[in-house]
Amino acid sequence: MIKTFKLLGFVALVIAGASVYGQKKSGMLGTGLLERYTRYFNSLDSEDVKNFIPNAQAASWITANAPLFECPDSAIEKIYYYRWWTFRKHLKETPAGFIFTEFITPVNHAGKFNAISCALGHHIYEGRWLHDQQYIDQYINFWVLKDKTFPAPRFHAFSSWVDDAIYNRYLVNQDKNFVAGLVPELDADYRKWESEKQLPSGMFWQFDVRDGMEESVSGSRKVKNRRPSINSYMYGNAVALAKMASMTNNDSLRKVYERKAAMLKTMIVDSLWSDSASFFLALKEDGNLAPREAIGFIPWYFNLPADKSVYAKAWDQIIDTAGFNAPWGLTTAERREPTFRTRGSGHGCEWDGAVWPFATTQTLKGLSNLLSNYSKQGKMSAKVFYDELLKYAMSHVMNGRTYIGEYQDEKNGNWLKGDNPRSRFYNHSGFCDLVISDLVGLKPRADDILELHPLIPEGQWDWFCLDNVLYHGKKLTILWDKTGKKYGKGKGLKVFADGKEVISSAKLKAVRGKL
């Protein structure tokens, strides 16, 4: 069982490195914790693949670029740093600019420089918290501007929520000029998607393999299903394009995308919501609805469903062991489905029930949105979110060593491709953004209101600190100190911007303040 996961190897290194903890300071937290984790992760890696930042420079690069974090839960804390460590391994400098790879070794279906667009949205959401944004600037430009100049463009090889991700990145760094320069290209790209994948009805279709979800219970590599995934992505992209058009005072374009978003929202609810299943389902070519799949939670990633109890009922399925709840994580198809886990032998890419971090990231972001932005939440609570995030953190293990791979057996946690060289450090999901924006709850906004909506259950932690967060040009420190003795800044929830206290609350709860 996942609960038996031990951190023995790491504990030994923590003890060995304890004397240096806190010697270097960056804001509230020292860098000793990061350095010790990095030494441990480096010790597990043969480093047969080196990209832009080698292991020897990992700690200094993460210190310069990423928010620091500490909390009482060693699994969440450890994997927070592990995911920055692995994200850094995928940073690659190419003649076309910086990119982040998905696979650490070359794969046949990749494009130029081993780039793959499937997890681009995850990469941008994760990378929006880096201090040096040149990496994400160039990565976005690689796909939006440069990929189409290559002999075999690959951007449209997979469905994408890139417009949504670009806008949500803007909410962190406020780089209006960068966004404004992309609006004409993103508009043209959206229209290209319409020419390729939009049906006369206005809905979008996609092969499951081109959603990055091969061998699903709803489709196949050749069936043109109307899936909640691509349709939600296109809705999210339309909403984002309307907002970006408004930023550039292009009212006509704003109105175009507001209409597109409104029409698509109506069609998704009318066509893909099943009252009998209480779920968003793929609509197959033959007119029948598919079984429940994790893609049915994606509409909440973009706050698409109305704030009604009838829709919130869908979330009952993530606490149901016959639904999506399994010992090692959230499954990609409901466990009661007769064809659950029947489409492969562990060597293909099975989205018929196995646990995929890609989908887990989307589901947890959707759940966070439900808990933060909706009043009708059904049976969901901060505890449900926390328990599933912790389970996700605990799943980062193979043979007792910290690991992230492609996909897992839901009952025993085995990585179903084993220790395949291509699957090591698989960069196909997010984790750090879930800690920053969802667990700690920093909600990026376009205005100068600082909003926090923590999803840490009451009484779960006596303290935590998220430090060195670059947001709207200021460095934030967010801390919770129940007794006031841990950080010496007084009791309760505190937020500092460039050292100045801007929020104070006696309770760990949703709060707002002015930057």
Side-chain angles (χ1 to χ4, degrees):
M1 289 291 291
I2 195 165
K3 293 181 180 178
T4 64
F5 173 43
K6 303 294 183 182
L7 305 176
L8 297 178
F10 171 68
V11 169
L13 279 168
V14 168
I15 294 171
S19 63
V20 300
Y21 178 64
Q23 287 182 353
K24 299 178 184 178
K25 293 288 285 184
S26 178
M28 182 68 64
L29 299 180
T31 59
L33 189 63
L34 161 64
E35 291 166 0
R36 291 202 305 278
Y37 277 120
T38 302
R39 284 197 296 273
Y40 171 62
F41 303 146
N42 286 350
S43 75
L44 302 179
D45 183 20
S46 62
E47 203 175 11
D48 49 310
V49 176
K50 292 183 182 181
N51 284 317
F52 185 64
I53 304 296
N55 287 356
Q57 298 173 17
S60 59
W61 187 87
I62 296 169
T63 296
N65 276 285
L68 301 175
F69 178 63
E70 70 171 8
C71 72
D73 192 291
S74 61
I76 291 176
E77 180 185 85
K78 176 185 179 184
I79 300 308
Y80 175 83
Y81 284 110
Y82 180 66
R83 292 302 296 264
W84 281 127
W85 184 86
T86 58
F87 193 63
R88 172 270 325 171
K89 284 186 74 68
H90 288 272
L91 178 59
K92 185 174 182 179
E93 188 175 29
T94 78
F98 285 108
I99 65 170
F100 286 88
T101 57
E102 180 176 313
F103 293 95
I104 201 72
T105 58
V107 292
N108 292 334
H109 64 281
K112 198 81 167 176
F113 311 117
N114 203 37
I116 299 174
S117 63
C118 185
L120 176 59
H122 286 324
H123 295 166
I124 296 172
Y125 265 87
E126 202 87 336
R128 64 182 174 159
W129 300 107
L130 295 176
H131 288 200
D132 188 347
Q133 283 291 303
Q134 67 164 321
Y135 308 118
I136 303 298
D137 281 350
Q138 293 182 30
Y139 186 39
I140 291 170
N141 285 337
F142 174 87
W143 283 115
V144 176
L145 303 177
K146 297 181 180 180
D147 176 70
K148 62 188 176 184
T149 70
F150 300 148
R154 297 294 182 91
F155 186 25
H156 284 222
F158 294 98
S159 309
S160 173
W161 63 102
V162 64
D163 311 69
D164 165 84
I166 289 171
Y167 179 73
N168 277 277
R169 175 193 181 233
Y170 158 76
L171 295 180
V172 173
N173 73 1
Q174 298 279 284
D175 190 346
K176 184 176 180 179
N177 290 336
F178 181 81
V179 172
L182 288 176
V183 168
E185 295 289 341
L186 295 176
D187 170 39
D189 185 70
Y190 193 100
R191 286 185 278 110
K192 183 178 179 181
W193 277 109
E194 288 178 322
S195 69
E196 292 175 346
K197 301 291 185 180
Q198 193 170 35
L199 296 164
S201 67
M203 294 284 287
F204 290 85
W205 65 269
Q206 186 60 287
F207 303 121
D208 56 2
V209 67
R210 294 303 180 185
D211 259 345
M213 303 173 185
E214 303 92 315
E215 315 304 340
S216 71
V217 298
S218 64
S220 75
R221 296 168 185 260
K222 296 182 180 180
V223 177
K224 299 179 179 181
N225 288 342
R226 284 156 279 183
R227 297 166 61 81
S229 42
I230 188 172
N231 283 284
S232 296
Y233 299 162
M234 297 309 293
Y235 166 80
N237 287 338
V239 169
L241 274 164
K243 292 177 179 178
M244 289 188 278
S246 180
M247 287 165 51
T248 58
N249 299 314
N250 190 335
D251 289 339
S252 59
L253 191 65
R254 172 183 58 80
K255 292 176 182 178
V256 166
Y257 280 100
E258 285 177 345
R259 286 195 298 269
K260 289 179 186 291
M263 291 175 62
L264 196 49
K265 178 177 181 176
T266 298
M267 287 186 288
I268 290 170
V269 174
D270 288 349
S271 298
L272 305 185
W273 175 259
S274 167
D275 285 327
S276 60
S278 295
F279 215 75
F280 287 100
L281 307 174
L283 181 59
K284 298 192 287 187
E285 280 190 283
D286 62 10
N288 292 316
L289 289 168
R292 294 188 190 96
E293 300 173 276
I295 56 175
F297 295 118
I298 293 178
W300 281 273
Y301 191 105
F302 306 99
N303 297 291
L304 184 154
D307 190 1
K308 296 181 179 180
S309 298
V310 65
Y311 300 121
K313 187 172 173 55
W315 288 93
D316 292 357
Q317 297 300 325
I318 73 163
I319 56 174
D320 188 344
T321 56
F324 296 88
N325 195 288
W328 279 76
L330 297 171
T331 58
T332 47
E334 59 178 342
R335 301 177 75 193
R336 64 172 64 82
E337 161 59 29
T339 62
F340 180 87
R341 293 295 310 278
T342 62
R343 285 166 170 74
S345 59
H347 302 292
C349 288
E350 305 160 49
W351 287 76
D352 58 351
V355 174
W356 280 82
F358 181 102
T360 300
T361 307
Q362 292 179 323
T363 301
L364 288 175
K365 179 67 73 174
L367 177 56
S368 171
N369 286 341
L370 178 82
L371 293 170
S372 301
N373 304 329
Y374 288 71
S375 63
K376 302 295 189 295
Q377 300 171 355
K379 299 178 181 178
M380 296 301 98
S381 65
K383 186 178 187 309
V384 175
F385 178 88
Y386 182 87
D387 288 349
E388 290 305 324
L389 182 69
L390 177 59
K391 191 186 294 184
Y392 181 28
M394 298 282 276
S395 72
H396 285 65
V397 63
M398 176 187 279
N399 299 326
R401 296 156 65 98
T402 315
Y403 188 89
I404 179 67
E406 292 190 54
Y407 59 115
Q408 290 175 290
D409 185 289
E410 74 286 353
K411 292 181 290 187
N412 58 31
N414 288 340
W415 292 97
L416 293 172
K417 281 191 175 291
D419 193 16
N420 189 313
R422 83 171 200 168
S423 300
R424 291 174 299 146
F425 322 117
Y426 191 41
N427 192 25
H428 195 241
S429 58
F431 187 88
C432 300
D433 178 68
L434 290 173
V435 171
I436 297 166
S437 190
D438 302 297
L439 182 65
V440 172
L442 175 56
K443 299 301 182 185
R445 297 170 56 116
D447 58 21
D448 62 355
I449 300 299
L450 187 62
E451 181 176 357
L452 244 65
H453 200 298
L455 293 179
I456 301 160
E458 185 176 356
Q460 187 73 45
W461 290 352
D462 287 347
W463 52 267
F464 75 81
C465 182
L466 181 68
D467 197 19
N468 201 35
V469 185
L470 188 60
Y471 177 75
H472 287 209
K474 298 180 183 293
K475 286 191 177 180
L476 304 184
T477 298
I478 303 168
L479 64 86
W480 162 250
D481 191 344
K482 183 177 179 180
T483 66
K485 296 179 181 179
K486 174 70 175 177
Y487 299 110
K489 296 293 182 180
K491 295 181 181 181
L493 178 65
K494 309 280 185 181
V495 182
F496 301 87
D498 288 343
K500 178 183 176 182
E501 184 176 302
V502 293
I503 290 178
S504 179
S505 171
K507 294 184 177 181
L508 185 56
K509 64 176 184 177
V511 291
R512 292 182 181 181
K514 192 168 184 178
L515 272 175

